[in-house]
Amino acid sequence: MPEKDRTSLTIRRPDDWHLHLRDGAMLQAVLPETARHFGRAIIMPNLVPPVVTAAQAAAYRDRIIAALPEGMKFTPLMTLYLTEATDPEDVRAAHAAGIATAVKLYPAGATTNSASGVRDFEQVRPVLDVMAEIGMPLCVHGEVTDHDIDIFDREAVFIDKILKPLRKKTPDLKVVMEHVTTQDAVDYVRDNPKNLAATITTHHLIINRNHILAGGIRPHFYCLPVAKREAHRIALVQAAISGDKRFFLGTDSAPHTDAAKLQSCGCAGIFTATNTMSCLAEVFEVAGQLNKLEAFASLNGPMFYGLPPSDDTITLTKGDPVPYPDSIETPDGPVTVFNPGFDLHWRVTG
Ligand code: DOR
Ligand code: ZN
């Protein structure tokens, strides 16, 4: 059947390789939005205080599983927040026990709750060496934090100044460049096939920096790394639809209440868990590559992480525009759902 006539698509159940679930009441409210469609997710550890040790990750995993509504199946894949005081043997033990799937590197000060992140990369070398030895991936927030580097250049500078030297010193370390936003990052991943992959968010496939700033400031499109110019967005779409195994979905769905977003210094983060699969189907359909959605959302991620793809499926069906809510209610206040700016015709029906 020609792609354009397709009205139904069945794919392996997708996974989200970068997700913020928070804790407490917010966790309870947002978890079903992901678990409804996704089988597994890499859970970000930037809680307050952060999830640093194996014991903290195990406790957080238990809270996530306890928050899961009756009848929903979902596997949280936990990460450890890398600090300069992280004990390499704790990381080794967390991996061996199946508690932690990956370690998360935040350069100190790069984004929400990253103050305990890494300033001096030499301090974490023993941890990186152990991870390379045991095959545990490092998930990287790839932005420098220097105040004299323009925010739109921070990803490209990170690749040159931090990532290249780091990977040269530890070539056996598996690295996921998370939420890539630039042609530079796409090229770097394409040109370096060994032990390197990248996640791409739903929103970075859809918005560019004009969406945030042209004709008024739109805080609900503000996230980190900040969306770049249109040429970069196009490069991300090309990578996502290419079928290249090193690119896969990590939504970076990051709930903040409207009160936290809509203020003079609003939080970074876009909440896409609710409508991600509809958004992605639309993007892939418009690009004429619906048949590549399964690789991006369901196959490439598990392959890089050395896990089997889901043996379950979901079905997306095309029809009238899907009436997604503008926001979801939480006990902390409403959380605005990402508005892609176009109708969403695909919905998960099974
Ligand atoms: O936009 C973002 N929000 N980027 C991040 O790196 C962190 C995240 C959050 O935790 O809200
Ligand atoms: Zn994130």
Side-chain angles (χ1 to χ4, degrees):
M1 179 198 314
E3 279 276 285
K4 63 178 177 40
D5 298 335
R6 191 184 264 284
T7 55
S8 158
L9 179 71
T10 296
I11 60 172
R12 302 259 192 159
R13 185 171 292 281
D15 304 301
D16 185 348
W17 299 95
H18 182 132
L19 176 67
H20 297 269
L21 286 177
R22 318 297 189 207
D23 213 343
M26 184 61 87
L27 164 64
Q28 196 88 40
V30 300
L31 179 59
E33 302 301 298
T34 288
R36 199 171 288 135
H37 300 155
F38 292 86
R40 297 168 286 199
I42 285 275
I43 310 300
M44 287 299 119
N46 61 334
L47 304 182
V48 189
V51 179
V52 175
T53 64
Q56 290 166 338
Y60 185 30
R61 181 172 67 180
D62 290 348
R63 296 198 295 281
I64 295 169
I65 290 167
L68 205 57
E70 270 301 304
M72 273 192 176
K73 267 188 11 197
F74 174 73
T75 305
L77 303 172
M78 308 309 291
T79 57
L80 302 175
Y81 186 120
L82 183 61
T83 75
E84 291 178 11
T86 294
D87 174 4
E89 292 313 313
D90 186 59
V91 172
R92 189 195 296 277
H95 189 250
I99 294 168
T101 300
V103 170
K104 174 68 191 245
L105 165 64
Y106 287 107
T111 186
T112 311
N113 304 334
S114 62
S116 318
V118 177
R119 284 186 171 77
D120 176 0
F121 289 84
E122 277 314 301
Q123 297 296 320
V124 296
R125 178 136 307 283
V127 180
L128 303 184
D129 287 340
V130 164
M131 291 170 62
E133 182 195 324
I134 63 180
M136 186 181 197
L138 180 72
C139 297
V140 176
H141 183 110
E143 287 190 289
V144 291
T145 54
D146 317 50
H147 293 291
D148 55 340
I149 306 290
D150 190 279
I151 191 164
F152 292 102
D153 297 334
R154 287 181 178 190
E155 182 172 284
V157 173
F158 181 89
I159 293 169
D160 278 339
K161 293 273 162 29
I162 311 282
L163 196 54
K164 284 181 182 171
L166 186 148
R167 292 188 61 251
K168 201 165 170 202
K169 278 195 180 162
T170 323
D172 293 332
L173 180 66
K174 288 176 90 167
V175 172
V176 183
M177 278 198 77
E178 302 201 276
H179 42 52
V180 291
T181 59
T182 56
Q183 172 89 62
D184 311 64
V186 168
D187 290 346
Y188 179 62
V189 172
R190 278 219 184 98
D191 295 345
N192 292 275
K194 190 165 169 260
N195 290 333
L196 183 63
T199 56
I200 303 177
T201 75
T202 308
H203 47 279
H204 287 117
L205 292 173
I206 293 173
I207 61 166
N208 63 37
R209 62 195 198 179
N210 280 7
H211 290 82
I212 315 169
L213 295 170
I217 188 159
R218 294 192 180 73
H220 292 301
F221 289 147
Y222 174 62
C223 66
L224 288 170
V226 69
K228 309 298 191 296
R229 57 172 71 241
E230 176 65 1
H232 292 293
R233 186 193 70 81
I234 291 170
L236 300 177
V237 172
Q238 291 304 323
I241 65 172
S242 67
D244 184 327
K245 293 182 173 46
R246 272 96 37 78
F247 296 101
F248 44 87
L249 175 64
T251 66
D252 200 10
S253 180
H256 293 279
T257 61
D258 286 354
K261 295 279 298 172
L262 306 177
Q263 51 175 298
S264 57
C265 184
C267 294
I270 301 181
F271 180 67
T272 55
T274 306
N275 58 5
T276 273
M277 290 315 297
S278 295
C279 289
L280 291 176
E282 207 78 33
V283 168
F284 278 65
E285 182 182 46
V286 166
Q289 298 291 350
L290 256 184
N291 60 341
K292 299 283 175 49
L293 179 59
E294 183 178 43
F296 180 67
S298 316
L299 302 178
N300 297 349
M303 180 170 291
F304 186 80
Y305 273 87
L307 296 167
S310 174
D311 49 20
D312 196 6
T313 59
I314 63 166
T315 296
L316 291 133
T317 306
K318 188 177 179 182
D320 292 336
V322 189
Y324 281 108
D326 293 339
S327 59
I328 63 159
E329 294 305 323
T330 84
D332 298 338
V335 171
T336 291
V337 174
F338 175 60
N339 176 358
F342 45 75
D343 285 342
L344 297 171
H345 299 91
W346 291 87
R347 72 161 83 214
V348 179
T349 49

